Every structure is written in C-alpha cells, then in structure tokens.
Amino acid sequence: MASHSDGKPPRLIVRYRGKGVAPLQEAQAEIAKRGLQVVDRSSRMLLLEESGKISSAESLKSALPEWSVSEEIHYTLPDPTPRVKGPGKGISRDNP
Amino acid sequence: MAEDLTSYVLLPMRGLRVDKSIASASLSTLFHSLHAGVKKVNLKSLTQPGGAIAALKNLALPTLRIPGSTVEAAAGLVMRCLDAVSENGAKLVELSEEAAQALRRAQPGMRLAPVLYYRTADSPVPRVEVKAQSAAAGASVKVKITVLSKDLKSPLAGLRIVAFTDFASRSGDEAITNAKGEARFESLKTGTKVERLYIEPPAAGYHGGFRKGVTLKADNQIFLGPIDFATADGLRHYYGEKTKDSDGEGVKIAVIDTGIDGSHPDLDVKAGACTVTGEDPEDWGPRGGAHGTHVAGIIGARGKMKGVAPASEILSYRVFRAQPGAASANFAISKAIDHAVQSGCHLINLSLKYDSGPGEPPLIDEVIRAALEDAREQGVVVIAATGNDGRQRVSFPALDAAAIAVSALGRKGTYPTDSQGGGEEMGPYAKDKKTFVAAFSNVGPEVDVIAPGVAIISTVPGGYAPMNGTSMATPAVTGLAARLLSRNPSVRDMAADSMRTDAVTRLVLASCQSLGFKAQFQGDGIPL
C-alpha cells in the first residue's frame, strides 16, 4: 500500500528523463526557488521535502520540462503467509 | 476457427511511437504494417527464419537456440489490429495468450499492455467479509498448541500460528508461541474444527508446519522437522544436477532487497550500498531482515548449499530500512537501480512489489518505470516477482514490460508433506501430477516465466531456512540467466546497451521448457 511516512506531507521525486548527464545544479536552483529541500540524490534523481514555504509540483513540472515529478511511494516484500481477517462461524471471542 | 482473444495495447518499450533511430528494423516494420482494418497479421513471419531468427543471426549469437516447437507453435497464430494512434504509434490489438507470448519472445523491444477500464467514482454496496460470530457450544475450554522440534523435542519460541476455521473467508485466530513453545488462542476452544493450520518456520534450521482438518483438543502438540540437504528441494530438483562451479563467472548481479549477510560461510558478497534515505550508505548488511540473504543464496551460494550460479558476483543493495517489516520507498529502489547500472551489473533481482489496495487498478510507478527504462537502455536485465496475493493480478514492477515477470511453482516430494509447502498445493497441476502453480502466486498475461518458489531452502543469517514466495522463484531465474550468460560469453560481453538487454532476454526465454500450464500461469515455461 502506498504510504506517506508518519503522516508527513508526501516527498517528491524529480528524475531526469533527458539524454546524457543530468543537469542537477540547474534543477536545484528551481527547487530552491520553491522552498523545497533536497534530502537525497542519485545521479539522475533528487528527493525533495517541503521546508515550510510554498511548494508546487505543478510549477516544478513546467519549470523542469525534461524532468518527471512524482510522489514518493513505498514497496513491500511479497508475503506468502495467509492472514486471518477475523473470527468465523463457530468461534466466540470473549468480551473483556 | 473460434479463438479466445484478449485485447492489448501494443507499444514500443519507451513512449507511444516507434523511433526508427533506436528501434530494431523488425519492430519498426511491425508497427508500420499494423493499421486499423488489417484483420490478421500472421506472426509466423516474426518467429520463423526470415523474421526474428534472422534478426538474431545478425546479432552473431551462434550459441543462441530457439526450439523448433516454438517456431511451429507460432505458425498458426494471428493478431488483429483494431485501432492505431498513428502509423508508427500505439496499436489496439487482439490476440490469444499464445500469440502474445510468441510476439513478446520475438520482439522484446515492445510492450503489450493490458487494456484497462475505469468506473465512475460512486459508492458500491458494502460487502460482508467476515461471518458473524456465534457462541461455542457446551463446556468448551480454550486451546493451547505447543510447537516442538522433531529431532530435539525442544520448544520453538516466537512462531506465529495461524488457524483458519473457514479459509475461504479467512476467518479464524492467530497466536505466537512463547518460550515454552506454547501458543494460547483467544477464541479457539476445544472441539473447534480448524480447516487449515499454518505454523511459520523458525528463523533457521527447521521447516514450518501445515495441517488440514484438525479438531482441537485442550492441549495439542506439533513437531517441526529439521531441514535436510539430503532431500532435494524445488531449487535443487530443477537446477542442482546441472550446476557447475563456474556458472555465473563474469556476471555481475544486483540484489535489491533487505540487505545480505556477507559473513555467511556460503556467500561471497563483498560490496553494495544502502540507498535508504538517512541511513549509512555503506551499511548493506541484513538490517531489513533475512529475505535478501535468502535471495542471494538462491542465486550464488557456494558452500554447503549451492546456488544456481555459484561463481556470479553479487552486489547487495539494501533498500528496506533497518526495521524488519518496514516498506521500501520507490526513491531508494530507483536509486539502487541507478547504482547497479553504473556499477556494471548485467542483472538486477527485484523480489519486491507494490501492494495495490483491494479493487484498485494496478499501480504504474513512473519513477521505477523510468529507472527500468534507463537500465534497459544500458544493457541491464531486470527480473521481478509477480507477487504473492493468491492468483491475483501481477504486481508492479513485474507487470512492467521492461522486467521479466516470474511466477512460482511447487513440486510434491521436495518438502515434507506436513510442512508449509503443503499449504501451497493447488491446481493446475502439470502432466507429472506433482508440479503445481503455487497457491500464493500472482498470475496473468504479464507472466514471462515460472520457477520453483515453494519451501526453497537457502541461506539466512545464522544458517539455512525454507521460504515460500515468488521472491524465491525470481532469484532462481536470475541465477539461471547468470548461468546462461557465463556459458554464452558472446552475449555477456556485448556492449552494454538495449541490444544486450534484448539478447539476454531472448536467451532466457529460449531456454524455457513448457510444463503444460496455460501461458497466464507459466509464461514461456521454466528456464532450464
């Protein structure tokens, strides 16, 4: 299930979709204008968090046309164990 | 002839239109030959000499083989084009599962996406999921189940016991064993008939347990058997005898997972990274649980246990936080994919998936999709688990066309009948009546291959343990891909671009043998 960590606003991921080396510094300049903070990076991506100022994924998209802007989401390990959803017919659960 | 046809959207691997400058000539020809009104296109031309095989020859891959049966099977397959975005753009096509498989095999540079339908956002009538409670009869008392080791008769603590009184509705109760191996249930009482009883395996050394149709007494005992390397599990049944010590030589593999225990005597993992935001980038050990160590052993163990490609070089990318059970962020996964590509990996193993909520359409995660596309363009093949939701749709990222999607099979006789493997037996069965599609496995038209994933014994911190899952089937395919690459150095040593990706994918698919299941369960079959 997608989960935004601890009820905080979702973090944004911007990823370079153009050819060649990603122009990270240019992107960071646009990001800084919008009050977003870079909290992690790779060669083609930046992870952004709001720092209390105005944030706007849409304006970032138009300012950085060669970059994709998406919310951070979370993945799990596939768990094969069947889980109980609740007590069934013929079962009584003692009330406290 | 009446055929069972499915609608798909046919797309190039990237974007909506074929770019002649990067697409293969045969893919470009295919797109330009399809337009609305063309009723049938014979796929024979793509899979017979003169079509895809000729294209393969142009790649100068002398060791590559395409089974004759594949060519013959494709001869009668047809595809209908119903609509098209443009001459070189996406097509709405209709074809059978077999034709879809043949087309994927012939053209790894394209995508066959399912046609999705949406509803208006109104509120459906609520459905009952759990039956109403009713009082237990007579002077019944609560029950206790004690779990002991079969060999030492010692208590096994910390094991979750799941008792289903009605499996279909997933009704029942759960409890955890204490230091004495005892689990006490809040609601199960003497005389309760349990339809299915599952006992999770201990951290190392023993199988889990499975019982059917148990009537509970006040005090119940269950013994778990020790794992035994003398009996071949599903992995060794299919891959053990053919394994050479040199398999995987020169092949670099990224395991993107919970981290790997590099100190395990059967593993030789010396490098990696942690890409979890805020955690030590050097800490690629098994902080997120035993899962990654198990996956790594299936690929490349080289001690008491042997993986499918023992000479492969494994890099550990930890993307799960140092807190077992926590989910992993797509940023961390994409960053690990980028790192793996830059580190010169040939293969990436992704035994993880996104959990779509009930009734939600499958997720298309544009961040990971972009990372997969970049990996593909740089010669890296990604192998991903279809998920374990019990015959539900294939999960992302396995459903992405840029990944090889792996479903799971089990085989009777490769685990004790009263162990956790028994709980996964479910039809359809292969002709040998022993091999089955694992009950937990997700299936669908995106499945590319199937591999053993029931009661697979592999390395864990502190020893060895059995695990179930498409998570275990996936590294079996990754290992097999590494084995094929080391035995076909002309493919392994190709320039790292999309030509290599396609060649490796073809190599894996061409090695498949059908087990007789429908394509939605096995894809092209089991790679051997």
Side-chain angles (χ1 to χ4, degrees):
Chain A
M1 196 78 80
S3 58
H4 303 139
S5 52
D6 309 326
K8 292 176 187 168
R11 300 196 289 196
L12 292 176
I13 298 170
V14 292
R15 185 178 178 95
Y16 185 57
R17 305 298 291 125
K19 303 262 181 204
V21 179
L24 291 170
Q25 287 194 339
E26 287 173 30
Q28 280 181 262
E30 290 295 334
I31 287 159
K33 282 183 202 170
R34 287 159 180 79
L36 293 160
Q37 197 176 3
V38 176
V39 291
D40 203 352
R41 70 187 65 219
S42 80
S43 57
R44 299 180 78 76
M45 287 189 299
L46 296 166
L47 179 63
L48 313 179
E49 215 167 53
E50 285 190 62
S51 61
K53 295 184 184 174
I54 306 160
S55 70
S56 169
E58 285 307 316
S59 75
L60 206 52
K61 278 179 191 171
S62 52
L64 300 170
E66 285 201 299
W67 296 70
S68 65
V69 182
S70 319
E71 279 186 18
E72 186 185 44
I73 57 171
H74 293 81
Y75 284 69
T76 58
L77 295 170
D79 180 0
T81 314
R83 299 292 170 122
V84 166
K85 285 184 180 172
K89 198 177 175 182
I91 293 179
S92 69
R93 194 176 282 279
D94 295 336
N95 292 320
Chain B
M1 187 179 69
E3 289 179 277
D4 193 8
L5 300 178
T6 307
S7 297
Y8 294 89
V9 182
L10 177 63
L11 298 150
M13 190 55 77
R14 192 164 194 159
L16 273 181
R17 291 175 174 76
V18 168
D19 179 349
K20 270 188 173 176
S21 65
I22 53 172
S24 67
S26 64
L27 185 65
S28 187
T29 304
L30 171 67
F31 268 73
H32 283 83
S33 68
L34 286 173
H35 51 86
V38 173
K39 293 203 171 167
K40 285 187 177 183
V41 173
N42 195 332
L43 296 179
K44 186 177 180 180
S45 61
L46 293 170
T47 50
Q48 275 199 328
I53 288 179
L56 291 174
K57 281 181 181 165
N58 289 339
L59 291 175
L61 307 173
T63 53
L64 197 67
R65 64 186 173 83
I66 298 258
S69 58
T70 300
V71 174
E72 286 162 26
L77 301 177
V78 296
M79 174 168 66
R80 293 185 181 88
C81 181
L82 305 176
D83 203 351
V85 170
S86 64
E87 193 182 5
N88 66 341
K91 317 287 180 182
L92 178 63
V93 297
E94 202 171 58
L95 67 172
S96 67
E97 283 182 10
E98 288 72 18
Q101 290 297 330
L103 187 57
R104 283 196 183 98
R105 198 160 42 229
Q107 297 288 353
M110 54 110 227
R111 293 178 283 170
L112 270 179
V115 178
L116 299 178
Y117 299 91
Y118 290 80
R119 294 177 189 278
T120 54
D122 53 2
S123 178
V125 178
R127 304 289 298 267
V128 174
E129 282 198 3
V130 180
K131 290 178 186 173
Q133 298 176 28
S134 63
S140 54
V141 294
K142 288 182 183 177
V143 301
K144 177 180 81 178
I145 296 178
T146 307
V147 183
L148 304 162
S149 62
K150 198 178 269 182
D151 50 351
L152 304 172
K153 307 291 183 282
S154 54
L156 295 169
L159 308 186
R160 189 157 56 95
I161 302 179
V162 187
F164 291 105
T165 51
D166 179 6
F167 187 64
S169 66
R170 298 292 192 273
S171 302
D173 203 355
E174 300 184 11
I176 307 283
T177 59
N178 61 18
K180 295 177 181 172
E182 297 170 353
R184 295 172 192 277
F185 292 84
E186 201 180 323
S187 62
L188 299 182
K189 299 196 172 175
T190 51
T192 301
K193 188 150 188 180
V194 171
E195 192 182 325
R196 284 167 166 254
L197 185 72
Y198 293 80
I199 302 111
E200 280 186 344
Y206 292 88
H207 285 280
F210 175 69
R211 303 287 188 276
K212 265 173 119 169
V214 179
T215 301
L216 294 173
K217 300 176 287 184
D219 199 351
N220 308 270
Q221 281 193 332
I222 288 180
F223 294 92
L224 299 184
I227 57 174
D228 176 12
F229 282 99
T231 305
D233 66 355
L235 190 73
R236 275 155 285 281
H237 174 82
Y238 286 104
Y239 298 110
E241 284 181 10
K242 295 174 187 166
T243 305
K244 296 178 189 169
D245 287 344
S246 60
D247 280 336
E249 211 162 56
V251 182
K252 217 167 181 178
I253 301 168
V255 172
I256 296 179
D257 213 291
T258 59
I260 300 172
D261 180 4
S263 68
H264 194 289
D266 289 8
L267 295 175
D268 184 15
V269 181
K270 296 191 179 74
C274 167
T275 58
V276 179
T277 303
E279 294 196 11
D280 178 3
E282 302 294 319
D283 188 3
W284 47 262
R287 308 279 174 258
H291 190 271
T293 306
H294 200 272
V295 165
I298 292 169
I299 297 170
R302 56 192 71 175
K304 184 176 176 184
M305 182 209 155
K306 266 203 167 53
V308 182
S312 57
E313 181 183 351
I314 293 176
L315 302 183
S316 170
Y317 289 97
R318 181 164 70 81
V319 295
F320 286 88
R321 281 188 280 151
Q323 177 193 340
S328 168
N330 57 344
F331 184 86
I333 298 167
S334 303
K335 188 174 177 180
I337 294 172
D338 287 350
H339 272 234
V341 170
Q342 286 168 358
S343 299
C345 287
H346 296 81
L347 306 168
I348 292 176
N349 189 94
L350 285 180
S351 288
L352 48 79
K353 60 123 183 182
Y354 177 80
D355 282 332
S356 293
E360 281 180 18
L363 169 94
I364 302 298
D365 179 347
E366 293 303 335
V367 176
I368 289 189
R369 166 167 276 183
L372 295 178
E373 286 171 351
D374 286 346
R376 185 189 134 67
E377 284 179 6
Q378 293 177 71
V380 184
V381 172
V382 176
I383 298 142
T386 59
N388 303 335
D389 305 303
R391 307 287 167 91
Q392 300 298 306
R393 281 206 56 161
V394 172
S395 305
F396 189 87
L399 69 80
D400 196 283
I404 294 179
V406 186
S407 62
L409 62 82
R411 186 180 164 86
K412 289 181 177 180
T414 61
Y415 49 82
T417 52
D418 60 357
S419 74
Q420 79 269 35
E424 306 305 340
E425 293 171 5
M426 187 190 223
Y429 282 84
K431 285 179 186 170
D432 63 12
K433 309 284 186 205
K434 289 183 175 176
T435 305
F436 56 90
V437 177
F440 57 74
S441 183
N442 286 353
V443 297
E446 299 89 356
V447 171
D448 291 306
V449 296
I450 194 167
V454 173
I456 303 302
I457 297 168
S458 184
T459 48
V460 291
Y464 307 90
M467 287 191 188
N468 286 340
T470 49
S471 283
M472 283 63 247
T474 301
V477 175
T478 302
L480 194 276
R483 177 185 291 187
L484 291 171
L485 281 177
S486 63
R487 294 183 188 184
N488 294 273
S490 60
V491 180
R492 182 192 63 197
D493 300 336
M494 285 171 73
D497 59 21
S498 61
M499 300 280 274
R500 184 176 84 182
T501 314
D502 287 355
V504 176
T505 304
R506 285 193 178 105
L507 200 58
V508 173
L509 297 182
S511 78
C512 287
Q513 289 183 16
S514 174
L515 294 166
F517 300 124
K518 286 185 175 177
Q520 69 185 66
F521 295 112
Q522 68 164 19
D524 276 15
I526 179 170
L528 290 172

